[in-house]
Amino acid sequence: MTTERTAPPSRVAVVTGAGSGIGRAVAVELLRAGWSVALAGRRTETLEETAALVPEGAALAVRTDVSRPEEVEALFAAAEERFGRVDLLFNNAGTFGPGGVPVEELPYDAWRHVVDTNLNGAFLCAQAAYRRMKEQDPQGGRIINNGSVSAHTPRPHSVAYTATKHALTGLTKSLSLDGRPYRIAVGQIDIGNAATDMTARMRTGALQANGEVAPEPVMDVADVARTVRHMAELPLEANVQFATVLATAMPYIGRG
């Protein structure tokens, strides 16, 4: 006797900061792999450009400021309404803030903007995903936070960015522990010098710890996207807790 099999439903991801850079690369990688993806970002036009890169993909563009609780809730409600569930959150939205500003000159408003986006926004998105993953059937899902190598080692004049990225490591650990009873796996990817518009200055010259300005090697952002997809597609019984993906020769390990 044979039984008829139906194809499993498409897995559903929410990707923040999906309008450019790492977020766009990850969204495209997932769409090409058959995921349904809710694309979140501040500008609808860039989200639609991301979706257009995979015209056959199931994409939903939702303009979202992740620092605003009501907009985060609307994002996840839209994803759930369109696709039925949430299997993955790639918590990627972030900002460097004003570059090259010494600690004593950093305006509080600039500090607050970085914290609101990088840390508070990551928490709000994780909380919204967690609530749905806990209640949906089948239960569970995965959250991947974009930590950056700045979660370990700072650059000069990067106090706000570095502080938020260190905080994301604590967020990852706490979410990972609290998610265990509900089959919610939480990990973090720490990325160094992926070639995007935000890191273009690395190739022309970046301030080093010794005060010199020197160009730095970069890597293809597609390599980051493939790593995120690998983490995302593991069974929920397995988890990459922390992964570091960086340009091999960047000045990060030792003295560079």
Side-chain angles (χ1 to χ4, degrees):
M1 179 179 178
T2 60
T3 57
E4 185 174 333
R5 290 186 175 184
T6 58
S10 173
R11 289 162 293 187
V12 179
V14 174
V15 176
T16 65
S20 62
I22 291 168
R24 171 173 285 180
V26 169
V28 166
E29 179 74 17
L30 293 173
L31 285 166
R32 287 175 176 164
W35 286 69
S36 299
V37 182
L39 310 168
R42 291 174 181 267
R43 297 171 55 202
T44 303
E45 59 270 27
T46 60
L47 299 176
E48 291 174 347
E49 289 169 5
T50 298
L53 294 172
V54 190
E56 71 280 11
L60 172 67
V62 185
R63 199 208 69 79
T64 309
D65 179 345
V66 297
S67 70
R68 297 182 176 274
E70 67 279 7
E71 294 192 21
V72 171
E73 180 56 32
L75 163 66
F76 281 85
E80 190 174 32
E81 180 179 1
R82 171 73 176 272
F83 300 123
R85 58 183 289 115
V86 175
D87 298 293
L88 171 69
L89 164 64
F90 181 45
N91 226 347
N92 167 72
T95 179
F96 286 131
V101 178
V103 174
E104 68 274 18
E105 296 177 13
L106 183 69
Y108 176 71
D109 286 348
W111 164 274
R112 183 63 183 267
H113 175 65
V114 175
V115 172
D116 281 345
T117 303
N118 295 5
L119 180 57
N120 296 342
F123 164 73
L124 290 171
C125 290
Q127 184 183 57
Y130 190 104
R131 286 170 174 162
R132 284 160 176 82
M133 292 171 180
K134 180 180 176 181
E135 299 300 329
Q136 64 194 9
D137 184 21
Q139 188 182 59
R142 189 180 305 275
I143 298 169
I144 301 173
N145 294 324
N146 181 349
S148 167
V149 294
S150 290
H152 305 272
T153 302
R155 289 185 177 277
H157 306 321
S158 66
V159 64
Y161 184 77
T162 299
T164 59
K165 293 303 185 177
H166 274 66
L168 271 180
T169 298
L171 180 69
T172 297
K173 290 178 178 179
S174 289
L175 290 170
S176 184
L177 178 61
D178 292 344
R180 286 178 182 176
Y182 312 111
R183 301 187 75 245
I184 300 173
V186 185
Q188 180 170 311
I189 184 167
D190 297 325
I191 302 162
N193 285 16
T196 67
D197 290 343
M198 289 181 70
T199 60
R201 63 186 177 85
M202 303 297 179
R203 284 168 278 190
T204 57
L207 181 64
Q208 305 298 305
N210 64 0
E212 294 180 358
V213 175
E216 295 185 11
V218 297
M219 63 177 169
D220 192 331
V221 71
D223 294 324
V224 176
R226 284 192 289 269
T227 305
V228 173
R229 179 185 164 195
H230 167 71
M231 296 169 70
E233 293 186 344
L234 288 171
L236 292 177
E237 292 72 26
N239 187 40
V240 175
Q241 188 69 72
F242 292 98
T244 302
V245 183
L246 72 166
T248 304
M250 74 173 290
Y252 172 66
I253 298 297
R255 298 181 183 273

